[in-house]
Amino acid sequence: MSPTTRLVALAGTGLLATSALAACAGLALLAWLLMAGATAPRVMAAMVAFGLALSAGLVGVVARKHAAGTLLPSDVDKSVGFRGGQGGL
């Protein structure tokens, strides 16, 4: 495994860890928001935390799949329906 691939996999793992921490922070902020009452800064902080969790999680998964080489399908569909009508059904 090349150093670049290892670096991408490590970055993906870091992004997934960031996503998990942001999700936990978002839940804590949501609990605080429900217990103490909704204010604009609390709502905005919860929205930012959940947005960070979502975006970092998606980018982390794509980075790790890219490093593993499984981002796209590795072979072409060879079924009869995708051969342009050859072979008859």
Side-chain angles (χ1 to χ4, degrees):
M1 185 181 273
S2 73
T4 304
T5 303
R6 287 183 192 264
L7 186 62
V8 170
L10 184 64
T13 303
L15 284 168
L16 288 175
T18 301
S19 174
L21 290 174
C24 290
L27 289 175
L29 286 166
L30 187 63
W32 182 35
L33 189 143
L34 291 175
M35 289 175 34
T39 62
R42 291 178 191 153
V43 171
M44 189 59 140
M47 288 173 50
V48 167
F50 286 125
L52 176 64
L54 182 65
S55 59
L58 289 173
V59 173
V61 167
V62 169
R64 287 187 47 88
K65 287 181 79 64
H66 178 69
T70 59
L71 186 59
L72 296 174
S74 59
D75 58 345
V76 181
D77 190 358
K78 296 180 176 77
S79 65
V80 174
F82 290 100
R83 282 190 254 162
Q86 302 169 4
L89 293 175

